[in-house]
Structures are given as structure tokens and as C-alpha cells.
């Protein structure tokens, strides 16, 4: 069995896009059309002959449409093995006609959840009959064609045109696989809503429903957005997927105005830039420059142009070929300044005409515009695959405010020092561990990332700051009088030595080390102020 003629089709869709044109083409080929509810009405209103499902089953649609296709006449017509004599005899004995084509898309469950529907609306949009028919026809793909995506209508019609009203086994097999992927994703969305949504909002209460962010079984539903040229390296393949359910908008949802297609590394680095600059949403103009998922310069200033200049000054060498993210719409002057160096990607919540004109001169620069920045402290989960399993954790959405800081030294930090501490701390949260960040006056002065001990991270940050001073022609490094932030506690007093070498005047760190008293004593002896956050920000 290879090519199969389409003589009868059952169409039952929630998304009516393209279904009338499809029905018209099928009817023109002499295919008998059977349909349900609103789909039948749309086909009939177009002047096409269509048989209601109730005419086929002998039962009316009932219970508000909950029961209409769950019937042996329907599933027998989909599941019967056409070259099996016993199956054929059963069909003849019970008046079951073969259904050669099923076109179904399911109730909009995911969309109902996404728009914040009531519990009653959400439950009513759990499709039962649709998935049952999809699974029946997909199982019997040797004889039955199943189409679940309106995007495949054109390919179906091309098959029928090429094969004289028939479909090939290859097409039916591909569509069957796609159909099972759809029902799997649909069921995943439903189970996720019960476990992670309804369990916390149901009037019965989380305790009664034993709500947990880590259910015994977890299924994930993602749709492929695009295949990428390659992965992290050219010998690796890659693609980008987006969640089928509600989620924060990020790089995959951004509008690419210009430039080459995004690479795997572009996606990864752009996400790091977006997450960091979102920490400053709603505040003064801010710019973050990212290289290999680590910031190499971050600044806030009265204008976006000043923020760019200050961020770039932190490490102009590393900024070459980097990713730039802004916390507000880009203006022409800032765009022109960014274009003065080679930049891979620019991300912003908008851009004016002057900015668009400036970037247009750089044809390869990828410009991504979003409607808004994601909420920095939003809830959510992060996944990491490991050999033999997967790690799941809640997002690092921890936030520290001025009132959360605990001064542990004899010297009290000044108001400006506290502001520098909080700025450095926000940046350090987004630097790979071990992380040390020096910052002053709303700008990073030096960043040390990813070293096996934080003393070396501090020394690297200091060297970067000294190089920046030499390039800029400053008389002294910007680490003089800066705040030093450490993403985790300083285990030894040598961390204070690093701060002193750089000329920092205040340190912000989580605290909690066995030798905290030694570290505090070293800070007191040096005249440094130091605050504890009580929160760690490891990032691996």
C-alpha cells in the first residue's frame, strides 16, 4: 500500500483559517465532505455540500458539543485496516464507511490559558474528541491521511494534484508523526496547567492539591521556530524552539529589523544581554555590552549616549564584536556611536527613525526590537541537561534593595557608596562565577569573570580597569573609590587585599563564610566599609 485515494474527508477545526478553500478544492475533486458544528456551517455558508457528523453517526451532537465524534462509526471509519477481511466485514455489517482524510486542529486550550481565561473556560477548551480522532487516524496512516496544521493544507493539495487525488505513504507518515507531536504537546500543556497553574489558584487550595514546582512527571511542549546554520561550533547542529504555552517574551519573539540571521551564539549572548539590561527597566538610561554571555561594560547615565560611552569605556577591547542591549528606545546619536565599532547584535525596546537610518548603513548588524523588556524578577524555571538526566531549578530572581543590606564594618558606607554597591551587585548577578565587579558612579570600572578562585577574578577586573584608564588617558583607574561586588562570600581576607589593590572603598558580598570575622577585621583595619546581602548569585 503506497498511494491512497481520498474519497471521504472529515473536517473539524477550531482554527478556520484556510478550511473553506481546502473544502472547496476537495469538493471539486469529488470528495465527500463530513463536518461538525461551526466548521460545517462555514463550509455550508460557502455554498459547498457537506454532511453533518450526526448524519453519519445517527446521533445528534449533545452536551454542549462535548459528545459528537466519539462514536464507532467515526473511529471505525478511521481505524479500519482496509486490506483486512475481518475489518472490512465488520464495516459492512455495521454500516461503517471509510474516512480517508481527517483535518482537525484542536480546541484553543493554550490560547485560553495565555489570555487569562477563567478555570471554567480553560477546562471547556480541553479537547477530547479531536485528539481521539487524531490518534486513530495517525495510527492508521497506512490508509488514512491526517492533517492537524493549516500550514500543511497547501502541501496536501499539492499531493492531491500531483498524484491524481491520492496521497503518498511518505506524506501520510510525516503527517502522522506531526499529529502525535501535536497531541503530545497538547496533553503536555494541559498537565502543566494542572500542575503549575491550577494547583496554585484552584479554590481547593495548594495544600489540598499537593502543589509542587517539581511534579513526579514532567513533559515539555515546544515548537520549532527555526533551524540555525550551526550550533556553538560549526560541527554542531542547532535549532531554536519556543514554548507552546505562556511565557515571557525574549529574543525569539523580537522583531529583527535588519542584519544576517541570528546564530546559536547570537541567541545565547543576546539573551544574556537582555536579561541583564532588564534589571534596569524603568530606571535611568542603561546600556549593557556582552561578550560570550558575560558583561564587559554596563552603565546608567542621564542619556543613552552617555550610558553607551561609559559602558564602552570599561573594556573597549572586549566590546569589539559584542552584543549591545538598551533599557529604552534607541536614538540616532546613540545608534551612530554604536556603529563606530563592530557590533554583532543590538537589542532595544524600540528605535527612532534616526537610529534606524544609522543602523541601516551597517547591513550585517542584527537589530532586534521588542515591545517591552521582560520582568527581571519574574518567576519561572531553568533547565540544564546532564548525562542521564536533567536539572531543574527556579530562576535566580533574587533581588536586593537598600533596606536588605547589613553593614558589618565599623565604617558606615556613604549614600553614594551604597548606590555603587547596589549597581555592582546587579551586574555581578549576571557574570559567570567566580565573579568580581568594580563599579563607580553608575558604571562598571572592571569585571572579572569565570575564574576558579575569586582572587584571580578580582585581579583580572583590576587589570582590565587599568587598561581602560590607559586607553582613555585617565590619570587613575575608575576602580579608585569604587564598590567591589563578589557574587559569593569572600572565603579569606585576601579578597579584601584585592579590593585594596584596586583602590575600592566599599565591598558588597553575601557573607556567610567560616572566616567572616577575619574578613571583616581586615576591612576594618584597611578602613573599608562592607555590607552583606545574605544572598548568593552563583552563575555557571
Amino acid at each position: 500500500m503506497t498511494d491512497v485515494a481520498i474519497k471521504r474527508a472529515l473536517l473539524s477545526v477550531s482554527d478556520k483559517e484556510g478550511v473553506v478553500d481546502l473544502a472547496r478544492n476537495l469538493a471539486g475533486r469529488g470528495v465527500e465532505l463530513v463536518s461538525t458544528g461551526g466548521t460545517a456551517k462555514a463550509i455550508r455558508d460557502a455554498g459547498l455540500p457537506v454532511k453533518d457528523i450526526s448524519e453519519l453517526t445517527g446521533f445528534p451532537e449533545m452536551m454542549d458539543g462535548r459528545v459528537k465524534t466519539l462514536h464507532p462509526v467515526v473511529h471505525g471509519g478511521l481505524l479500519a485496516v482496509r486490506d483486512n477481511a475481518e475489518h472490512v466485514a465488520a464495516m459492512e455489517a455495521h454500516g461503517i464507511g471509510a474516512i480517508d482524510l481527517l483535518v482537525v486542529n484542536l480546541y484553543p486550550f493554550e490560547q485560553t490559558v495565555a489570555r487569562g481565561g477563567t478555570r471554567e473556560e480553560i477546562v471547556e477548551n480541553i479537547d477530547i474528541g479531536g485528539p481521539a480522532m487524531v490518534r486513530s487516524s495517525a495510527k492508521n496512516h497506512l490508509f488514512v491521511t491526517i492533517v492537524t496544521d493549516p500550514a500543511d493544507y497547501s502541501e496536501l493539495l499539492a499531493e492531491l494534484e500531483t498524484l491524481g487525488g491520492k496521497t503518498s505513504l511518505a506524506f501520510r507518515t510525516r503527517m502522522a508523526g506531526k499529529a502525535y507531536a501535536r497531541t503530545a504537546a497538547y496533553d503536555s500543556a494541559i498537565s502543566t496547567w494542572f500542575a503549575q497553574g491550577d494547583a496554585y489558584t484552584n479554590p481547593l487550595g495548594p495544600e489540598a492539591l499537593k502543589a509542587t514546582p517539581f511534579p513526579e512527571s514532567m513533559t515539555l511542549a515546544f515548537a520549532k521556530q527555526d533551524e540555525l546554520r550551526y550550533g556553538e561550533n560549526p560541527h554542531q547542529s542547532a535549532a531554536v524552539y519556543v514554548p507552546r504555552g505562556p511565557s515571557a517574551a525574549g529574543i525569539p519573539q523580537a522583531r529583527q529589523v535588519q542584519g544576517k540571521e541570528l546564530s546559536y551564539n547570537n541567541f545565547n549572548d543576546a539573551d544574556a544581554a537582555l536579561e541583564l539590561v532588564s534589571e534596569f527597566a524603568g530606571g535611568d538610561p542603561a546600556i549593557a555590552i556582552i561578550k560570550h554571555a558575560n558583561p564587559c561594560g554596563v552603565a546608567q547615565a542621564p542619556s543613552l549616549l552617555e550610558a553607551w560611552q561609559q559602558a564602552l569605556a570599561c573594556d573597549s577591547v572586549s566590546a569589539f564584536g559584542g552584543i549591545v542591549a538598551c533599557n529604552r528606545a534607541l536614538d540616532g546619536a546613540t545608534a551612530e556611536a554604536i556603529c563606530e565599532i563592530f557590533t554583532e547584535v543590538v537589542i532595544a525596546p524600540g528605535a527612532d527613525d534616526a537610529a534606524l537610518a544609522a543602523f541601516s548603513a551597517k547591513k550585517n548588524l542584527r537589530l532586534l526590537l521588542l515591545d517591552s523588556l521582560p520582568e527581571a524578577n519574574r518567576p519561572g524555571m531553568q533547565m540544564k541537561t546532564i548525562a542521564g538526566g536533567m536539572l531543574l531549578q527556579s530562576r535566580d530572581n533574587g533581588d536586593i534593595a537598600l533596606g536588605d543590606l547589613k553593614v558589618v564594618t565599623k565604617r558606615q558606607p556613604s549614600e553614594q557608596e551604597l548606590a555603587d554597591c547596589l549597581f555592582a551587585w546587579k551586574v555581578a548577578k549576571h557574570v559567570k562565577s567566580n565573579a568580581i565587579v568594580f563599579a563607580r558612579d553608575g558604571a562598571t570600572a572592571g569585571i572579572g569573570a569565570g575564574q576558579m578562585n575569586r582572587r584571580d577574578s578580582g585581579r583580572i577586573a583590576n587589570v582590565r580597569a587599568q587598561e581602560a584608564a590607559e586607553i582613555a588617558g585617565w590619570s587613575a583607574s575608575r576602580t579608585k573609590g569604587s564598590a567591589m561586588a563578589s557574587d559569593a562570600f569572600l572565603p579569606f581576607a585576601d579578597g579584601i587585599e584585592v579590593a585594596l589593590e584596586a583602590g575600592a572603598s566599599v565591598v558588597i558580598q553575601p557573607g556567610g563564610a567560616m572566616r567572616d570575622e577575619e574578613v571583616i577585621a581586615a576591612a576594618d583595619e584597611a578602613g573599608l566599609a562592607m555590607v552583606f546581602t545574605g544572598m548568593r548569585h552563583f552563575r555557571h
Side-chain angles (χ1 to χ4, degrees):
M1 175 65 64
T2 53
D3 299 344
V4 172
I6 304 298
K7 298 178 182 178
R8 175 189 275 177
L10 171 54
L11 292 76
S12 181
V13 297
S14 292
D15 180 357
K16 305 295 191 295
E17 180 186 355
V19 73
V20 171
D21 290 338
L22 174 63
R24 183 176 289 111
N25 188 291
L26 293 172
R29 296 179 179 279
V31 176
E32 179 187 4
L33 302 179
V34 181
S35 191
T36 64
T39 309
K41 182 179 185 302
I43 295 172
R44 191 171 291 115
D45 288 348
L48 300 173
V50 60
K51 181 181 291 187
D52 284 312
I53 193 71
S54 58
E55 296 179 56
L56 205 67
T57 63
F59 277 83
E61 294 186 20
M62 62 181 71
M63 302 177 186
D64 298 319
R66 285 190 171 200
V67 179
K68 51 191 173 187
T69 60
L70 296 169
H71 194 282
V73 170
V74 175
H75 286 272
L78 294 172
L79 282 166
V81 177
R82 312 299 164 78
D83 58 3
N84 181 305
E86 291 185 8
H87 286 209
V88 173
M91 291 174 74
E92 292 176 351
H94 298 284
I96 298 173
I99 300 173
D100 308 303
L101 168 66
L102 177 70
V103 179
V104 166
N105 52 65
L106 308 177
Y107 290 175
F109 175 84
E110 297 102 326
Q111 295 90 328
T112 306
V113 173
R115 67 173 172 79
T118 65
R119 188 177 195 278
E120 182 181 6
E121 289 174 322
I122 291 171
V123 171
E124 281 306 310
N125 275 281
I126 297 176
D127 203 334
I128 303 300
M133 290 193 295
V134 168
R135 293 176 63 83
S136 291
S137 54
K139 176 176 181 177
N140 204 26
H141 62 273
L142 289 180
F143 304 95
V144 179
T145 304
I146 170 64
V147 176
T148 57
D149 186 348
D152 293 323
Y153 292 171
S154 59
E155 189 174 356
L156 168 64
L157 295 178
E159 280 270 313
L160 297 176
E161 181 66 26
T162 302
L163 299 177
K166 300 179 179 180
T167 60
S168 66
L169 179 58
F171 177 76
R172 295 194 303 277
T173 302
R174 282 195 299 110
M175 291 298 104
K178 188 170 183 177
Y180 278 122
R182 178 64 189 118
T183 56
Y186 195 74
D187 286 341
S188 172
I190 295 168
S191 67
T192 298
W193 174 75
F194 271 107
Q196 298 179 15
D198 187 58
Y200 293 94
T201 60
N202 193 298
L204 294 172
E207 185 175 349
L209 296 176
K210 298 183 179 180
T212 172
F214 305 110
E216 293 300 316
S217 178
M218 176 170 288
T219 52
L220 304 174
F222 287 78
K224 184 172 73 174
Q225 184 183 71
D226 200 9
E227 288 193 27
L228 307 178
R229 283 185 299 159
Y230 52 80
E232 199 164 6
N233 299 291
H235 64 276
Q236 295 173 268
S237 55
V240 59
Y241 284 78
V242 295
R244 285 191 173 273
S247 68
I251 300 304
Q253 290 75 32
R255 178 169 63 94
Q256 184 168 351
V257 177
Q258 66 168 64
K260 297 187 294 184
E261 65 185 50
L262 292 171
S263 70
Y264 178 96
N265 291 329
N266 289 155
F267 270 104
N268 191 51
D269 290 347
D271 177 69
L274 180 62
E275 291 282 18
L276 196 164
V277 85
S278 294
E279 297 278 355
F280 303 100
D284 288 341
I287 292 257
I289 308 173
I290 299 292
K291 194 72 171 287
H292 295 298
N294 273 308
C296 53
V298 185
Q300 268 191 302
S303 72
L304 208 55
L305 178 58
E306 292 173 86
W308 162 254
Q309 293 166 339
Q310 294 296 316
L312 179 64
C314 178
D315 188 354
S316 59
V317 175
S318 298
F320 184 86
I323 311 290
V324 176
C326 315
N327 72 339
R328 60 183 57 203
L330 279 156
D331 58 80
T334 306
E336 289 176 5
I338 292 172
C339 287
E340 291 176 1
I341 70 167
F342 171 54
T343 300
E344 288 272 7
V345 183
V346 176
I347 311 126
D352 66 20
D353 290 341
L356 295 176
F359 286 128
S360 67
K362 299 288 185 179
K363 300 299 183 184
N364 290 332
L365 182 147
R366 303 160 177 89
L367 176 60
L368 305 178
L369 300 182
L370 302 106
D371 293 331
S372 61
L373 300 177
E375 170 57 48
N377 299 321
R378 67 189 183 276
M381 306 299 286
Q382 291 178 319
M383 296 167 286
K384 179 179 176 60
T385 58
I386 58 175
M390 179 182 76
L391 298 174
L392 186 69
Q393 67 171 353
S394 58
R395 290 185 71 253
D396 182 3
N397 57 7
D399 188 39
I400 293 296
L402 184 62
D404 300 315
L405 301 180
K406 178 184 178 182
V407 179
V408 294
T409 49
K410 295 176 182 177
R411 185 171 79 78
Q412 296 288 313
S414 68
E415 184 177 333
Q416 181 59 51
E417 285 177 324
L418 288 172
D420 289 340
C421 280
L422 290 174
F423 179 88
W425 185 253
K426 283 184 183 293
V427 177
K429 175 182 174 182
H430 295 269
V431 179
K432 301 293 185 183
S433 300
N434 287 303
I436 294 291
V437 174
F438 292 99
R440 193 183 78 192
D441 299 330
T444 52
I447 300 172
Q451 298 305 300
M452 285 66 75
N453 69 73
R454 62 193 54 256
R455 182 189 61 182
D456 286 351
S457 290
R459 288 174 173 171
I460 289 172
N462 192 14
V463 169
R464 291 282 184 273
Q466 291 173 4
E467 290 177 349
E470 292 173 7
I471 293 171
W474 298 329
S475 59
S477 162
R478 289 198 303 190
T479 58
K480 304 302 180 184
S482 69
M484 185 187 88
S486 174
D487 64 331
F489 61 62
L490 298 177
F492 302 103
D494 59 4
I496 298 300
E497 294 174 12
V498 170
L500 289 173
E501 289 172 5
S505 64
V506 63
V507 174
I508 180 171
Q509 59 135 325
M514 291 179 61
R515 295 179 174 85
D516 269 352
E517 294 305 318
E518 293 179 20
V519 176
I520 294 170
D524 281 336
E525 183 178 349
L528 292 180
M530 184 161 62
V531 296
F532 283 1
T533 66
M535 179 181 293
R536 188 179 75 184
H537 281 307
F538 268 167
R539 180 173 289 256
H540 296 108

